[in-house]
């Protein structure tokens, strides 16, 4: 990217979202984080088995559809070996300038030490430039741990090794001069509301749970497990699930969306308090698990149940005010 030193990196609540959002902001394409996040399809949280102790979300699939539909000349690429990947990367930053989003493993991302404190995660970074010696890459990362940002030069191998761990998966972002911003925003609003509706009224059965039923069943499973064994060995996985697997991430995007779309101050304040409550829940849960005290763990999940109930009321308010 030409003049990449003038690029501005803003934070987001998801790494892939931050790459696209920051590109749009720097190109004066006025999409919000939520326009990108909710565009492709409703976001659904699913517990895939009745007694499972983890859940899943379609966190990136809708945003990939945004990438594909809004920038149709963009491509997803993979490379067979180190030499081919390295040559493509250097060429794309020198002789054939191309905006690149690389899928990397966090195990090699030394530019923010907090990456190394957590389990291995898939991550996305934007590659903006390269120094003359080809020993450093200039990157933009709008979603380091705890929603911080990083922009600047990093060692080439820091990115390359993490990229290699993810089979050199690469997303190009090719400009499009014919973007219908309004229709995209309308599509995002449609799926935003479907996300909330499907959360309140999930289609669940005996083999899986969705929406609000997911977390209630997840908490029930963890409580049952805590009676049988210590949860201390699983503590990092549990917090990872809640904070980064889509549950809390989705809530930050909902809050951002209702702020950007001027919902009532009462609704915004109420939902902000819900998010603060879930952050406190994570803190309480860590302490309860470390204490290995079943009654404290039980009390923590009761606190979570209260949050779920209050959140459902506010989501209903959002839906009613959108009619």
């Amino acid at each position: 990217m030409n003049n990449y030193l003038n690029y501005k990196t803003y934070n987001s609540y998801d790494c892939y979202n931050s790459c696209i959002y920051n590109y749009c902001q720097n190109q004066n394409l006025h999409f919000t984080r939520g326009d990108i996040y909710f565009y492709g399809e409703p976001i659904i949280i699913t517990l895939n088995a009745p007694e499972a102790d983890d859940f899943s979300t379609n966190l990136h699939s809708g945003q990939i559809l945004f990438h594909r539909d809004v920038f149709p000349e963009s491509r997803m690429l993979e490379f067979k070996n180190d030499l081919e990947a390295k040559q493509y990367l250097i060429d794309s930053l020198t002789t054939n300038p191309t905006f690149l989003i690389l899928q990397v493993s966090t195990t090699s991302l030394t530019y923010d030490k907090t990456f190394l404190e957590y389990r291995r995660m898939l991550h996305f970074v934007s590659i903006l430039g390269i120094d003359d010696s080809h020993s450093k890459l200039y990157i933009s990362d709008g979603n380091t741990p705890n929603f911080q940002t990083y922009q600047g030069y990093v060692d080439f191998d820091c990115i390359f090794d993490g990229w290699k761990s993810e089979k050199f998966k690469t997303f190009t972002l090719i400009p499009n001069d014919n973007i219908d911003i309004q229709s995209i925003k309308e599509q995002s609003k449609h799926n935003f509301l479907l996300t909330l509706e499907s959360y309140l009224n999930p289609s669940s059965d005996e083999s899986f749970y969705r929406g609000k039923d997911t977390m209630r069943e997840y908490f029930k499973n963890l409580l049952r497990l805590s009676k049988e064994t210590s949860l201390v060995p699983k503590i990092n996985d549990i917090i990872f699930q809640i904070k980064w697997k889509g549950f809390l991430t989705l809530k930050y995007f909902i809050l951002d969306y209702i702020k950007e779309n001027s919902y009532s101050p009462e609704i915004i304040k109420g939902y902000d308090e819900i998010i603060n409550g879930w952050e406190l829940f994570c803190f309480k849960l860590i302490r309860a698990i470390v204490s290995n005290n079943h009654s404290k763990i039980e009390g923590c999940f009761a606190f979570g149940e209260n949050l779920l109930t209050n959140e459902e009321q506010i989501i209903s308010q959002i839906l009613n005010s959108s009619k």
Side-chain angles (χ1 to χ4, degrees):
M1 170 177 281
N2 295 329
N3 302 318
Y4 59 82
L5 294 177
N6 296 324
Y7 195 84
K8 293 183 179 180
T9 298
Y10 305 91
N11 82 296
S12 185
Y13 312 109
D14 170 73
C15 51
Y16 186 62
N17 182 276
S18 76
C19 293
I20 301 173
Y21 173 71
N22 278 297
Y23 175 85
C24 291
Q25 290 297 303
N26 281 272
Q27 296 297 316
N28 293 316
L29 297 171
H30 299 299
F31 293 113
T32 68
R33 300 169 184 85
D35 290 334
I36 299 164
Y37 188 77
F38 293 108
Y39 170 81
E41 59 188 12
I43 309 300
I44 298 174
I45 301 174
T46 304
L47 192 75
N48 291 315
E51 296 187 356
D53 57 4
D54 62 353
F55 55 86
S56 62
T57 59
N58 52 331
L59 191 61
H60 290 137
S61 55
Q63 299 182 94
I64 289 173
L65 290 173
F66 178 96
H67 192 164
R68 183 198 69 186
D69 292 353
V70 178
F71 304 102
E73 297 300 316
S74 302
R75 296 289 180 267
M76 194 281 284
L77 307 169
E78 292 184 13
F79 299 95
K80 297 177 181 178
N81 55 60
D82 292 21
L83 183 62
E84 183 183 16
K86 184 175 183 178
Q87 190 60 55
Y88 175 83
L89 181 57
I90 292 173
D91 287 348
S92 296
L93 298 171
T94 53
T95 58
N96 184 30
T98 306
F99 190 93
L100 299 178
I101 300 171
L102 302 189
Q103 180 174 313
V104 299
S105 165
T106 55
T107 53
S108 67
L109 302 186
T110 55
Y111 59 86
D112 189 318
K113 299 298 183 184
T114 49
F115 276 124
L116 308 180
E117 295 174 4
Y118 298 101
R119 58 182 278 186
R120 179 184 183 275
M121 293 185 284
L122 176 153
H123 194 62
F124 294 91
V125 294
S126 298
I127 311 299
L128 307 181
I130 192 168
D131 71 340
D132 291 340
S133 67
H134 297 172
S135 63
K136 294 184 180 296
L137 295 169
Y138 194 88
I139 72 165
S140 167
D141 187 341
N143 183 238
T144 65
N146 302 316
F147 303 137
Q148 300 301 306
T149 65
Y150 179 89
Q151 180 174 327
Y153 283 108
V154 299
D155 288 340
F156 188 96
D157 288 344
C158 166
I159 299 298
F160 191 84
D161 291 347
W163 186 35
K164 181 178 180 179
S165 295
E166 294 295 329
K167 300 180 180 179
F168 298 119
K169 188 167 287 187
T170 306
F171 298 84
T172 66
L173 208 162
I174 308 300
N176 176 14
D177 295 329
N178 298 297
I179 299 174
D180 186 346
I181 292 179
Q182 188 56 41
S183 68
I184 292 165
K185 286 181 173 289
E186 290 172 0
Q187 173 72 14
S188 297
K189 180 179 181 180
H190 175 74
N191 281 325
F192 168 74
L193 297 176
L194 282 181
T195 295
L196 301 188
E197 289 171 0
S198 63
Y199 181 81
L200 287 184
N201 302 292
S203 57
S204 303
D205 63 25
E206 294 181 355
S207 62
F208 65 87
Y209 296 87
R210 284 181 174 165
K212 61 184 179 63
D213 296 340
T214 295
M215 298 312 294
R216 287 189 168 92
E217 194 66 19
Y218 177 66
F219 291 159
K220 186 197 303 182
N221 292 344
L222 288 181
L223 189 60
R224 172 186 50 78
L225 192 61
S226 73
K227 294 178 180 178
E228 301 169 359
T229 185
S230 170
L231 295 180
V232 171
K234 296 177 67 65
I235 192 167
N236 286 336
D237 285 341
I238 292 169
I239 297 303
F240 173 80
Q241 280 277 312
I242 295 170
K243 296 193 74 168
W244 289 289
K245 195 75 179 287
F247 176 68
L248 195 49
T249 302
L250 172 59
K251 300 184 191 313
Y252 275 105
F253 277 107
I254 291 172
L255 179 63
D256 191 73
Y257 191 90
I258 61 178
K259 284 181 176 178
E260 291 284 354
N261 289 276
S262 303
Y263 282 76
S264 75
E266 293 77 18
I267 288 177
I268 292 171
K269 180 176 182 294
Y271 205 78
D272 191 34
E273 290 174 352
I274 291 296
I275 289 179
N276 291 335
W278 283 116
E279 291 286 3
L280 178 60
F281 170 85
C282 290
F283 176 74
K284 284 176 173 287
L285 184 58
I286 291 171
R287 294 187 66 178
I289 291 174
V290 170
S291 73
N292 211 23
N293 185 314
H294 180 72
S295 64
K296 288 185 177 180
I297 296 173
E298 194 171 27
C300 192
F301 288 136
F303 179 73
E305 171 61 35
N306 188 54
L307 285 172
L308 288 171
T309 300
N310 292 341
E311 183 176 12
E312 287 164 24
Q313 294 172 357
I314 297 175
I315 289 176
S316 294
Q317 293 174 27
I318 295 172
L319 289 170
N320 289 334
S321 66
S322 301
K323 293 178 180 178

